[in-house]
Amino acid sequence: MKALIIGAGIGGLCLAQLLKKNGINVQIFERDSSPSERMQGYRLHLDADGISALQESLPNELFQLFEATSTNPLPYTTILDTGLKLNKRFPIDSYSKTEHHVESGVAKHLNVNRSTMREILLMDLDDVCNYGAKLESYKTDLNGVTAYFEDGRAIEGDLLIGADGTGSAVRKQRAPEANFMDSGARAIYGRIKTDQARKVLPDLCMADVFTAVSDVRKLILGVGPVIFPVRPEAAAQSLGINKSLSPQDDYLGCIVSGRKEFFGSTDQEIRKKTSDELQQLAVDLLSDWPSNAAAVPAAGEKDSFFYIEMTSSIPFTLQSHPNVTLLGDAIHTMTPSLGRGANVALRDAAILGKELIKVFRGEKKLAASLKEYEAEITAYGFDVVRKSAEKGTKLLGQDPLPC
């Protein structure tokens, strides 16, 4: 069996690791020219779904490396008032709607640096990763799939997996009936080194999964720590692993988010702003709070700020297909209100990988496996999409999903 994965994000890479570990021929095709071409974010919160998927998928030494470079925060989402004083502290599983993890005894939480985790996911995949490979279309028949790329290549395989994000080229052909909506919410993201963060934030912000401050307009300042137990550049050597990771400093991810009207310009104009201009905009948005909250984004790292327009998929019924499927944001993009998008993508990867292993071993037919996989991930994934939208509507004033 030969699997073609479109997209080298964390979901596609997790799937590739699981398939390769089980002897399945896999090729990844990424439109970017390199892993570092685009800014893809900073801190990610992983819950039991994401952590379990990585443990199932990665070789043991890579999972050890992942754990060694992951922050073990206190399991709380904490709310401060605009004076940066403690208001409420929620158990993270209650806040994120993952109480089922507590009930089943698997609840666990890590804060990870996205680029470090992606470096780990890319390890030992050099021979199967193809960069600068932008998919144009595909054709299928009873014998498999042919993927056609912008550079003229035509690659054949037994199945095609669209792990290529919200703008998925695979989904546009596979499920043209799928619709996505502008949530009406926007965000400016940046990074603050911990030595600077300690000067402007309470100590609990260095300990909990995530800390947020909100005003009456539903404008939010949020921070989440990434404090490495072992520095990435030293982690592999400390474990006796012959690998290397890029150097990283401890930091807090910082977000200023709210309705798009608060940002004062059109999306097209804001996209043109430099990191310094976005940082100043974040400072200005918090300038009338009674505390010195504006000092938080002001303390951010130079050139670390970028702008996000929050999008949500609209749940729909995905018709089955015998040899083309979707994964992660390509099928169920969600707003970040619950911090679950990465976890759902990783869970998708583990479920699909286990189904494909059964096909590879002759235990199931491919079409039947894909149908069962899609039934599970659309039921679960769209449930999280709905809950994320509900939380976002309440906290950020995002537009609700249509009925």
Side-chain angles (χ1 to χ4, degrees), residues 218-233:
K218 299 182 179 179
L219 180 71
I220 288 179
L221 165 66
V223 294
V226 175
I227 300 173
F228 297 101
V230 183
R231 293 285 184 191
E233 60 270 27

Side-chain angles (χ1 to χ4, degrees), residues 190-310:
R191 286 172 47 131
I192 309 171
K193 290 184 179 180
T194 51
D195 58 345
Q196 297 301 312
R198 293 182 195 280
K199 298 176 183 178
V200 294
L201 285 165
D203 288 344
L204 59 82
C205 296
M206 314 298 160
D208 293 350
V209 170
F210 189 71
T211 304
V213 190
S214 179
D215 67 12
V216 294
R217 300 171 295 169
K218 299 182 179 179
L219 180 71
I220 288 179
L221 165 66
V223 294
V226 175
I227 300 173
F228 297 101
V230 183
R231 293 285 184 191
E233 60 270 27
Q237 185 177 0
S238 72
L239 295 169
I241 299 171
N242 186 27
K243 309 286 184 184
S244 62
L245 292 168
S246 301
Q248 297 285 345
D249 293 321
D250 295 340
Y251 69 91
L252 271 70
C254 172
I255 177 174
V256 175
S257 181
R259 287 289 309 177
K260 59 185 178 182
E261 292 82 6
F262 299 157
F263 290 78
S265 301
T266 66
D267 290 323
Q268 186 176 12
E269 292 170 334
I270 298 178
R271 285 188 217 113
K272 296 176 183 177
K273 291 183 180 292
T274 65
S275 172
D276 286 350
E277 290 170 332
L278 290 171
Q279 185 174 11
Q280 186 59 52
L281 176 55
V283 170
D284 293 343
L285 285 167
L286 304 178
S287 61
D288 61 351
W289 283 13
S291 64
N292 192 25
V296 177
E301 293 180 44
K302 185 174 177 58
D303 298 327
S304 72
F305 288 80
F306 65 98
Y307 181 65
I308 289 290
E309 301 156 40
M310 296 184 187

Side-chain angles (χ1 to χ4, degrees), residues 53-369:
L54 290 169
Q55 188 167 17
E56 289 176 324
S57 303
L58 289 171
N60 185 55
E61 70 168 21
L62 294 189
F63 185 72
Q64 287 181 321
L65 187 57
F66 161 75
E67 285 193 305
T69 54
S70 297
T71 305
N72 285 278
L74 296 178
Y76 296 101
T77 295
T78 299
I79 308 299
L80 307 180
D81 62 26
T82 52
L84 302 187
K85 303 299 183 184
L86 180 63
N87 186 352
K88 294 179 181 178
R89 214 173 184 201
F90 297 94
I92 184 67
D93 286 292
S94 172
Y95 181 89
S96 296
K97 309 297 183 185
T98 50
E99 295 95 337
H100 56 287
H101 290 161
V102 178
E103 294 164 3
S104 57
V106 298
K108 189 174 181 181
H109 299 276
L110 295 173
N111 280 1
V112 303
N113 181 45
R114 185 183 189 123
S115 64
T116 300
M117 184 173 76
R118 192 159 182 247
E119 280 188 66
I120 294 169
L121 283 166
L122 280 163
M123 286 179 174
D124 301 328
L125 295 181
D126 291 346
D127 58 331
V128 302
C129 272
N130 302 273
Y131 292 98
K134 184 177 181 181
L135 182 76
E136 285 194 333
S137 64
Y138 64 82
K139 289 184 180 178
T140 67
D141 56 33
L142 295 177
N143 296 317
V145 184
T146 303
Y148 297 94
F149 295 90
E150 194 176 64
D151 61 8
R153 280 182 291 175
I155 308 296
E156 295 181 350
D158 294 292
L159 76 152
L160 182 75
I161 300 111
D164 46 345
T166 303
S168 171
V170 179
R171 186 197 65 250
K172 290 172 183 176
Q173 183 174 344
R174 167 72 173 79
E177 70 276 17
N179 289 311
F180 286 65
M181 62 173 279
D182 177 358
S183 74
R186 303 290 186 265
I188 295 172
Y189 283 89
R191 286 172 47 131
I192 309 171
K193 290 184 179 180
T194 51
D195 58 345
Q196 297 301 312
R198 293 182 195 280
K199 298 176 183 178
V200 294
L201 285 165
D203 288 344
L204 59 82
C205 296
M206 314 298 160
D208 293 350
V209 170
F210 189 71
T211 304
V213 190
S214 179
D215 67 12
V216 294
R217 300 171 295 169
K218 299 182 179 179
L219 180 71
I220 288 179
L221 165 66
V223 294
V226 175
I227 300 173
F228 297 101
V230 183
R231 293 285 184 191
E233 60 270 27
Q237 185 177 0
S238 72
L239 295 169
I241 299 171
N242 186 27
K243 309 286 184 184
S244 62
L245 292 168
S246 301
Q248 297 285 345
D249 293 321
D250 295 340
Y251 69 91
L252 271 70
C254 172
I255 177 174
V256 175
S257 181
R259 287 289 309 177
K260 59 185 178 182
E261 292 82 6
F262 299 157
F263 290 78
S265 301
T266 66
D267 290 323
Q268 186 176 12
E269 292 170 334
I270 298 178
R271 285 188 217 113
K272 296 176 183 177
K273 291 183 180 292
T274 65
S275 172
D276 286 350
E277 290 170 332
L278 290 171
Q279 185 174 11
Q280 186 59 52
L281 176 55
V283 170
D284 293 343
L285 285 167
L286 304 178
S287 61
D288 61 351
W289 283 13
S291 64
N292 192 25
V296 177
E301 293 180 44
K302 185 174 177 58
D303 298 327
S304 72
F305 288 80
F306 65 98
Y307 181 65
I308 289 290
E309 301 156 40
M310 296 184 187
T311 301
S312 176
S313 57
I314 300 173
F316 70 102
T317 300
L318 179 65
Q319 301 303 315
S320 61
H321 191 287
N323 49 22
V324 178
T325 193
L326 300 163
L327 179 156
D329 283 352
I331 177 66
H332 41 51
T333 296
M334 60 198 69
T335 51
S337 309
L338 296 180
R340 301 218 56 218
N343 295 287
V344 174
L346 291 168
R347 174 175 168 161
D348 290 355
I351 294 170
L352 178 55
K354 286 183 283 189
E355 285 293 330
L356 295 180
I357 291 165
K358 293 175 185 176
V359 176
F360 180 62
R361 293 172 177 170
E363 298 168 8
K364 293 180 76 170
K365 297 293 185 183
L366 177 60
S369 279

